[in-house]
Amino acid sequence: MALEWVVLGYAAAAEVVMILLLTLPGLDPLRKGLVSATRALLRPFLSVVPFCLFLLLDIYWKYETRPSCESGSACTPSEHLRHQKSIMKSQRNGVLIASALLFYWVLYSVTSLVGRVEELKYRVEKLKEDWD
């Protein structure tokens, strides 16, 4: 099951890199190509959403079927430690799921805003040419 988390981590990292490239100042000559490349990648990255939901259901299933070690005498120390590690991994994976979904939403929003700004710049230039 570790491979799914690695894939999700790489997808979230790729989303962050694209967000940074779109929002960094000084990359105006590359902006048009970055916007078109990001728009082309948004549809494949949409698969992150159902993948995250699947992994969230996996975490929930593990939570529901875990052995109960609430009282100190019910489990050995090693079982208690394994239980605590499982809880920590589930929390970490939940944060990874939330961040991947948040980064996808931010990437979608930033891409649409940058595209809209480029369109408005084009309109302003066209209006300036018409006035001259």
Side-chain angles (χ1 to χ4, degrees):
M1 285 296 283
L3 184 61
E4 289 94 358
W5 300 109
V6 170
V7 169
L8 186 62
Y10 282 144
E15 291 169 352
V16 168
V17 167
M18 286 188 283
I19 291 169
L20 287 175
L21 288 175
L22 285 173
T23 56
L24 281 176
L27 295 177
D28 290 334
L30 301 174
R31 185 105 38 222
K32 191 172 185 179
L34 287 171
V35 169
S36 64
T38 304
R39 280 190 180 155
L41 289 173
L42 275 176
R43 184 154 296 168
F45 273 134
L46 185 60
S47 63
V48 166
V49 175
F51 190 60
C52 285
L53 294 176
F54 167 73
L55 292 175
L56 196 60
L57 285 173
D58 182 52
I59 289 174
Y60 177 74
W61 178 77
K62 285 180 182 176
Y63 177 77
E64 287 296 319
T65 60
R66 78 183 192 289
S68 149
C69 287
E70 298 304 321
S71 64
S73 63
C75 296
T76 65
S78 64
E79 289 173 339
H80 188 67
L81 183 62
R82 185 173 51 230
H83 172 70
Q84 292 298 322
K85 283 183 182 181
S86 173
I87 290 174
M88 286 178 28
K89 283 182 183 180
S90 294
Q91 290 171 349
R92 179 198 63 202
N93 293 340
V95 169
L96 181 61
I97 289 171
S99 65
L101 292 173
L102 177 72
F103 289 143
Y104 180 79
W105 176 74
V106 169
L107 180 64
Y108 178 80
S109 299
V110 166
T111 303
S112 64
L113 287 174
V114 169
R116 181 81 175 139
V117 166
E118 292 295 323
E119 180 184 329
L120 290 174
K121 281 182 184 179
Y122 175 73
R123 284 185 182 177
V124 166
E125 288 175 8
K126 193 171 182 177
L127 285 174
K128 283 183 182 178
E129 289 175 2
D130 290 344
W131 279 94
D132 292 334

